[in-house]
Amino acid sequence: MRLELQAQAVCRRYCDGDREEAAKLWAKVKKDSSHELMVWLEPYILAMVPLDAAKHKVELKLAKLAKKLPVYDWAKGVLGFGDVSLAAVVGECAIGPGEYRTVSALWKRMGMAVFDGQRQRKVSGDAAIEQGYNPTRRSLMWNIGCCLIKAQIRSEKDEKGKKVEGSEYAIGEYGQLYLDRKAYLRERTASDEKPMPPFMLHKNAQRYIEKRLLRELWKAWRRGGPMMVCNPNQESPSPSFTAADAVPEADPSLN
């Protein structure tokens, strides 16, 4: 990932600092060995070859293990939530997602809790112990949120192939949740002195669907009955909570 980011940083020099255009340029150079920027970017491409091969082997193994999970049938019905992403979330949970007594505990594990009205984040001192924030787990959920949006949101395009502003529409449940959340926040802050800007609408709506995905994962895991500590290779799961534990705590907000 760092090599990829370093390569895109080089590309930004030729795109007036535009990250989106730099990402497109990087993708173009990787496909064209005769591109004029290959002289600068080839070292990054060559360095990534063995890393990509090793990553591919790990992902194949994770995808195979994901198919053994008790929530696999549910997960494969979520557009944009792939086998590797499912395996990654379950792995970062350390135990089965449904093993957490409340969905709030799962949110905290994945860096998405709320403390005193503020989002969970990296802090210092005693507060760091209380929050237990792990940026790697939060980054995982952010990437999954991006995948959900890319897979479930479409836009009309003009004659030049560019997106028409305000033409977004959803082709999936989480995509619709994303659009609905943005519309709700836009309306709620419209009369404020400083209405919420587009980038904040996007960030808030993405966080909302990430938390909703975790909530549905938690519920799906528990619907299977008595759960086990996550081990897809174990043939006979052993009960670790009662039916009473499966009732979720009150969820006043997905902020």
Side-chain angles (χ1 to χ4, degrees):
M1 176 59 76
R2 289 185 179 181
L3 288 171
E4 183 105 8
L5 293 176
Q6 289 171 8
Q8 291 191 36
V10 174
C11 292
R12 286 201 297 274
R13 301 175 189 174
Y14 300 89
C15 303
D16 295 325
D18 190 305
R19 292 177 179 273
E20 187 173 335
E21 290 301 317
K24 292 179 181 178
L25 177 58
W26 168 237
K28 184 177 180 180
V29 174
K30 287 192 293 183
K31 296 178 180 178
D32 183 5
S33 60
S34 63
H35 197 284
E36 60 182 352
L37 291 184
M38 184 60 75
V39 64
W40 299 109
L41 297 175
E42 187 174 26
Y44 297 101
I45 295 173
L46 293 177
M48 290 172 63
V49 170
L51 297 176
D52 286 342
K55 177 185 175 184
H56 181 63
K57 288 182 179 179
V58 172
E59 289 180 342
L60 286 176
K61 186 173 182 179
L62 287 174
K64 185 176 181 180
L65 291 172
K67 291 179 172 62
K68 299 180 181 181
L69 293 171
V71 291
Y72 181 71
D73 287 342
W74 165 81
K76 70 180 182 181
V78 180
L79 190 61
F81 189 38
D83 296 353
V84 174
S85 294
L86 171 61
V89 171
V90 173
E92 289 293 349
C93 285
I95 58 176
E99 291 288 310
Y100 288 92
R101 183 169 177 79
T102 65
V103 68
S104 295
L106 177 58
W107 285 337
K108 181 181 178 183
R109 173 70 181 181
M110 301 307 292
M112 306 198 70
V114 175
F115 288 86
D116 298 325
Q118 299 293 321
R119 63 177 175 80
Q120 187 180 1
R121 61 196 185 282
K122 191 174 182 179
V123 293
S124 59
D126 294 338
I129 298 175
E130 179 186 8
Q131 295 211 11
Y133 181 74
N134 184 302
T136 299
R137 291 195 284 268
R138 180 65 189 95
S139 178
L140 170 63
M141 290 310 303
W142 184 86
N143 284 318
I144 290 174
C146 288
C147 290
L148 292 176
I149 292 171
K150 289 178 180 178
Q152 299 193 22
I153 295 293
R154 297 290 183 269
S155 297
E156 301 292 344
K157 295 184 179 181
D158 60 21
E159 61 275 6
K160 295 183 179 180
K162 292 187 176 182
K163 295 179 181 179
V164 176
E165 187 176 353
S167 67
E168 291 180 323
Y169 61 94
I171 60 171
E173 177 186 359
Y174 289 90
Q176 191 59 55
L177 284 170
Y178 169 80
L179 294 180
D180 290 346
R181 180 67 176 182
K182 286 210 301 184
Y184 163 73
L185 292 171
R186 188 182 297 113
E187 181 179 355
R188 193 182 75 175
T189 64
S191 59
D192 293 353
E193 184 177 346
K194 292 184 177 180
M196 189 176 289
F199 82 95
M200 285 300 296
L201 292 172
H202 163 71
K203 289 177 65 176
N204 187 295
Q206 179 173 328
R207 176 183 171 87
Y208 183 82
I209 65 171
E210 289 163 7
K211 294 188 73 170
R212 179 67 71 90
L213 180 72
L214 286 176
R215 190 181 77 177
E216 295 308 311
L217 171 61
W218 182 84
K219 289 164 63 178
W221 195 282
R222 291 197 160 203
R223 277 198 299 268
M227 283 291 110
M228 62 179 178
V229 173
C230 180
N231 181 357
N233 294 317
Q234 182 176 331
E235 294 183 359
S236 300
S238 56
S240 57
F241 66 81
T242 65
D245 292 326
V247 180
E249 69 170 11
D251 177 23
S253 172
L254 278 169
N255 291 329

